[in-house]
Amino acid sequence: MAKTPEEKQFSRRDFLKTTGVATGGIIGGSLLGGLVGFNLDGPSSEETSTTEDTASEGTETDNKTGGLTDNSRVFFANDTDFNTVSAAMERIFPETESGPGAIELGCAFYLDGQLTGQYGFNSKEYMQGPFAEPLPTQGYQSNLNRRDYFMLGIKKLNEEANDRHDANFADLEDGQMDDILTDFEAGEVDFGVPAHTATSSYFFTMLRSATIEGAYADPVYRGNRDMAGWKMKKFPGHQMSYIQYIEDDEFHELEPEPVFGMAH
């Protein structure tokens, strides 16, 4: 997001050291579990239509990643929507001297898989009325499922970009994207629907959470590519055992290991 000169002095390295998002917590977090063994047949209240810029790589498969390769897509049917969410995630988690950003880490591919599964369909949550504007202390309260909520937010990002700069969101300069995302975070963008249905601020909250989880989740979910997120945090991943280090008094910095012994 747009920052003051003082805030810009807070580096990615400082963020990695002080962030309250613990990698272990993300592994058991809200989005995971939707990709491996996901259901491709479930309907959505608003199906994403295929357009001329549909990604050709969407048919690539790999059994080690629940049937998906790094660059295959199962939810985002066209490049415009996918590039929009990729660009927004990169502004939330940009590349710096400390490590790669959201695009290189594959955060948008992570979200793509999650929106196709239980997370996207809210399949484990009560989704019936009555509906009311949620309190800040409450979690997800919308009558939309998350896949539709995300598509509404992505559409609105492009509408704002075209209204302000006559271009799609992904084609804007960094500062222009930051200004729009700042207004989303502050809830200053009108979604044109009741507040209990969707708000720009809650869309930004979900987008930020998905970005961070995609950066640090196990690479089996197609984010955290080459385990670069773990390496930035010096997180060892899924080691088979630490017994060989128990008697040592010194700290051991280990190369991270992914689940199933597989990394992208």
Side-chain angles (χ1 to χ4, degrees), residues 25 30 40 71 93-94 138 149 158 170 176 180 182 202 246 250:
S30 60
L40 290 177
N71 297 317
F93 199 101
Q138 293 178 310
Y149 207 134
N158 279 320
Q176 294 171 330
I180 292 176
T182 298
Y202 197 77
I246 291 177
E250 61 182 293

Side-chain angles (χ1 to χ4, degrees), residues 84-85 88-89 92 111 119 150 154 157 181 202-212:
T84 296
V85 77
M89 285 178 155
I92 292 172
L111 177 62
Y119 171 81
F150 266 95
I154 291 168
L157 281 173
L181 288 172
Y202 197 77
F203 168 72
F204 179 85
T205 296
M206 292 195 299
L207 180 64
R208 178 175 54 193
S209 295
T211 302
I212 295 173

Side-chain angles (χ1 to χ4, degrees), residues 3 37 40 46 52 66 68 72 78 115 142 163 177 181-182 184 191-192 196 201 219 236:
K3 294 179 171 59
L40 290 177
E46 180 182 340
E52 292 181 358
L68 301 174
S72 60
N78 64 71
L115 291 177
S142 175
D163 289 345
M177 287 190 280
L181 288 172
T182 298
F184 267 69
F191 268 32
H196 70 261
S201 59

Side-chain angles (χ1 to χ4, degrees), residues 39 67 71 86 96 106 131 178:
N39 175 16
N71 297 317
S86 293
T96 71
F131 298 100
D178 288 348

Side-chain angles (χ1 to χ4, degrees), residues 42-53:
S44 171
S45 58
E46 180 182 340
E47 291 296 336
T48 306
S49 60
T50 301
T51 63
E52 292 181 358
D53 60 348

